[in-house]
Amino acid sequence: MTITITAFEKSPDGGKGLARDTRVRWALEEVGEPYTVRLLSFATMKEPAHLALHPFGQIPTYEEGDLVLFETGAIVLHIAQRHAGLLPDDANARARAIAWMFAAVNTVEPPILDLVNARLFEREKPWGEARLPLVEGRVRGRLKQLSARLKDAEWLDGAFSAGDLMMASVLLRLRASGILDEFPNLAAYVARGEARPAYKRAFAAQLAINAG
Ligand code: GTB
């Protein structure tokens, strides 16, 4: 069945892989599923046709026959549950990989998003500069815990899984801040994710749209 995802017609990052369709593309590439992409402008995302697919008027969405999904965590989990390669066979290991997916979007991503907002959109506010160290401190605190758990391991829990795919995708957003490099094992972990052929294909596909 044909899979169609949505993505930015013109991503604000110019195609550096930071928009969230990249993680969905990455999952599809890991499992070898072909997909097509429908590109949307910011205005189109808020129109009724797209709001019927995504209640918050965002990208990405995922369509496969009668199934329509939004939220990258749910989309990647769906892909991982239906195709081999992103979740372990052992039931307990599978549950732990899913826990790492939730940790990525629910525990690690929120302080990172707060930092992105603080740096890009709130700096000029009267309280912007004063709040920044607090927000950076929260990110560092979370990364310190993650770094301590990962240690020198290649991936978070055994073989590469959808948990690593989501965690590396979330951490990628931090690179420009320099904070990721303060944790060499996490920087190396993200680099290992980016070195995967499936990630490279996903990145190239979204870059091709934005480079044009
Ligand atoms: N929790 C949702 C998910 O994981 O699917 C979040 C989806 C989301 O935030 N989508 C963003 C969106 O559609 C695109 S990814 N925004 C438009 C809107 O809300 O109107 C966020 C994003 C956008 C741009 C960059 N960038 O250019 O660096 C990075 C990340």
Short mmCIF file of all heavy atoms in Angstrom, two decimals, residues 8 11-13 18-20 23 42 45-46 57-60 71-72 173, ligand 1:
data_model
loop_
_atom_site.label_atom_id
_atom_site.label_comp_id
_atom_site.label_asym_id
_atom_site.label_seq_id
_atom_site.Cartn_x
_atom_site.Cartn_y
_atom_site.Cartn_z
N PHE A 8 7.40 20.11 4.76
CA PHE A 8 7.42 21.52 4.38
C PHE A 8 7.79 21.67 2.91
O PHE A 8 8.77 21.07 2.44
CB PHE A 8 8.51 22.29 5.16
CG PHE A 8 8.18 22.61 6.59
CD1 PHE A 8 9.10 22.33 7.60
CD2 PHE A 8 6.99 23.23 6.93
CE1 PHE A 8 8.84 22.65 8.92
CE2 PHE A 8 6.71 23.56 8.26
CZ PHE A 8 7.63 23.27 9.25
N SER A 11 11.43 24.27 3.98
CA SER A 11 11.70 24.17 5.41
C SER A 11 12.48 25.39 5.90
O SER A 11 13.43 25.83 5.23
CB SER A 11 12.50 22.89 5.68
OG SER A 11 12.63 22.71 7.06
N PRO A 12 12.11 25.94 7.05
CA PRO A 12 12.82 27.12 7.57
C PRO A 12 14.32 26.87 7.78
O PRO A 12 15.11 27.81 7.76
CB PRO A 12 12.13 27.39 8.91
CG PRO A 12 10.80 26.74 8.80
CD PRO A 12 10.97 25.57 7.89
N ASP A 13 14.73 25.63 7.95
CA ASP A 13 16.16 25.35 8.16
C ASP A 13 16.90 25.17 6.84
O ASP A 13 18.10 24.87 6.83
CB ASP A 13 16.36 24.13 9.06
CG ASP A 13 15.97 22.83 8.37
OD1 ASP A 13 15.33 22.87 7.30
OD2 ASP A 13 16.31 21.77 8.91
N LEU A 18 16.25 19.27 10.18
CA LEU A 18 15.71 19.52 11.52
C LEU A 18 14.18 19.40 11.58
O LEU A 18 13.63 19.21 12.66
CB LEU A 18 16.16 20.90 12.03
CG LEU A 18 17.68 21.07 12.11
CD1 LEU A 18 18.03 22.47 12.61
CD2 LEU A 18 18.30 20.01 13.02
N ALA A 19 13.52 19.55 10.46
CA ALA A 19 12.06 19.41 10.47
C ALA A 19 11.71 17.94 10.72
O ALA A 19 12.47 17.03 10.37
CB ALA A 19 11.46 19.91 9.16
N ARG A 20 10.56 17.72 11.31
CA ARG A 20 10.28 16.38 11.84
C ARG A 20 9.94 15.33 10.78
O ARG A 20 9.81 14.15 11.11
CB ARG A 20 9.19 16.47 12.89
CG ARG A 20 9.69 17.01 14.23
CD ARG A 20 8.54 16.99 15.21
NE ARG A 20 8.88 17.46 16.53
CZ ARG A 20 9.00 18.73 16.89
NH1 ARG A 20 8.88 19.68 15.99
NH2 ARG A 20 9.26 19.05 18.14
N ARG A 23 12.70 12.35 10.61
CA ARG A 23 12.72 11.12 11.42
C ARG A 23 11.78 10.05 10.85
O ARG A 23 12.05 8.85 10.95
CB ARG A 23 12.44 11.43 12.90
CG ARG A 23 11.17 12.16 13.15
CD ARG A 23 10.96 12.55 14.62
NE ARG A 23 11.75 13.69 15.06
CZ ARG A 23 11.48 14.36 16.19
NH1 ARG A 23 10.51 13.98 16.99
NH2 ARG A 23 12.22 15.40 16.55
N PHE A 42 3.04 26.80 4.67
CA PHE A 42 2.52 27.06 6.02
C PHE A 42 1.02 27.34 5.96
O PHE A 42 0.26 26.91 6.83
CB PHE A 42 3.26 28.22 6.68
CG PHE A 42 4.54 27.78 7.35
CD1 PHE A 42 5.75 27.77 6.65
CD2 PHE A 42 4.55 27.36 8.67
CE1 PHE A 42 6.92 27.35 7.25
CE2 PHE A 42 5.71 26.94 9.29
CZ PHE A 42 6.91 26.94 8.59
N MET A 45 -1.12 24.21 5.46
CA MET A 45 -1.19 23.36 6.67
C MET A 45 -2.34 23.73 7.59
O MET A 45 -2.77 22.94 8.41
CB MET A 45 0.10 23.53 7.48
CG MET A 45 1.21 22.64 7.08
SD MET A 45 2.57 22.98 8.20
CE MET A 45 3.73 23.57 7.05
N LYS A 46 -2.81 24.98 7.46
CA LYS A 46 -3.88 25.44 8.36
C LYS A 46 -5.25 25.37 7.68
O LYS A 46 -6.25 25.79 8.25
CB LYS A 46 -3.60 26.88 8.82
CG LYS A 46 -2.21 27.11 9.39
CD LYS A 46 -1.91 26.22 10.61
CE LYS A 46 -0.46 26.40 11.06
NZ LYS A 46 0.06 25.30 11.86
N GLY A 57 -2.57 21.15 12.56
CA GLY A 57 -2.14 21.84 11.35
C GLY A 57 -0.62 21.82 11.16
O GLY A 57 -0.03 22.83 10.79
N GLN A 58 -0.02 20.67 11.42
CA GLN A 58 1.44 20.58 11.33
C GLN A 58 1.86 19.46 10.37
O GLN A 58 1.03 18.67 9.90
CB GLN A 58 2.02 20.29 12.72
CG GLN A 58 1.76 21.41 13.72
CD GLN A 58 2.40 21.14 15.06
OE1 GLN A 58 2.29 20.07 15.61
NE2 GLN A 58 3.07 22.15 15.60
N ILE A 59 3.16 19.41 10.11
CA ILE A 59 3.75 18.27 9.41
C ILE A 59 4.63 17.55 10.43
O ILE A 59 5.04 18.16 11.41
CB ILE A 59 4.59 18.71 8.18
CG1 ILE A 59 5.76 19.63 8.56
CG2 ILE A 59 3.72 19.37 7.15
CD1 ILE A 59 7.08 18.99 8.68
N PRO A 60 4.92 16.26 10.25
CA PRO A 60 4.45 15.42 9.16
C PRO A 60 3.14 14.71 9.51
O PRO A 60 2.80 14.57 10.67
CB PRO A 60 5.59 14.41 9.02
CG PRO A 60 6.08 14.22 10.43
CD PRO A 60 5.92 15.56 11.09
N GLU A 71 1.82 12.94 14.66
CA GLU A 71 2.76 12.76 15.78
C GLU A 71 3.86 11.77 15.37
O GLU A 71 3.61 10.57 15.18
CB GLU A 71 2.09 12.28 17.08
CG GLU A 71 1.34 13.38 17.81
CD GLU A 71 2.23 14.54 18.28
OE1 GLU A 71 3.45 14.33 18.52
OE2 GLU A 71 1.73 15.67 18.38
N THR A 72 5.07 12.28 15.32
CA THR A 72 6.17 11.45 14.83
C THR A 72 6.41 10.21 15.70
O THR A 72 6.79 9.16 15.17
CB THR A 72 7.46 12.27 14.71
OG1 THR A 72 7.70 12.97 15.94
CG2 THR A 72 7.39 13.24 13.56
N ARG A 173 18.83 18.43 17.11
CA ARG A 173 18.34 19.81 17.15
C ARG A 173 19.25 20.70 18.00
O ARG A 173 19.21 21.92 17.91
CB ARG A 173 16.92 19.77 17.72
CG ARG A 173 16.11 21.02 17.57
CD ARG A 173 15.38 21.03 16.26
NE ARG A 173 14.75 22.33 16.03
CZ ARG A 173 13.49 22.61 16.32
NH1 ARG A 173 12.72 21.68 16.84
NH2 ARG A 173 13.00 23.80 16.08
N1 GTB B 1 4.84 16.68 18.27
C1 GTB B 1 4.70 16.82 16.84
C2 GTB B 1 5.38 15.65 16.13
O1 GTB B 1 6.35 15.10 16.69
O2 GTB B 1 4.92 15.24 15.05
C3 GTB B 1 5.32 18.17 16.44
C4 GTB B 1 5.09 18.47 14.97
C5 GTB B 1 5.70 19.81 14.62
O3 GTB B 1 6.17 20.57 15.49
N2 GTB B 1 5.74 20.13 13.31
C6 GTB B 1 6.31 21.38 12.87
C7 GTB B 1 5.26 22.19 12.13
O4 GTB B 1 4.48 21.66 11.38
C8 GTB B 1 7.44 21.08 11.91
S1 GTB B 1 8.78 20.27 12.72
N3 GTB B 1 5.28 23.50 12.33
C9 GTB B 1 4.40 24.41 11.64
C10 GTB B 1 3.33 24.93 12.51
O5 GTB B 1 3.18 24.47 13.68
O6 GTB B 1 2.62 25.79 12.03
C11 GTB B 1 9.40 21.62 13.77
C12 GTB B 1 10.52 22.33 13.12
C13 GTB B 1 10.29 23.33 12.23
C14 GTB B 1 11.37 24.00 11.64
C15 GTB B 1 12.64 23.64 11.99
N4 GTB B 1 13.75 24.31 11.41
O7 GTB B 1 13.60 24.94 10.39
O8 GTB B 1 14.86 24.24 11.97
C16 GTB B 1 12.87 22.62 12.87
C17 GTB B 1 11.80 21.95 13.45
#
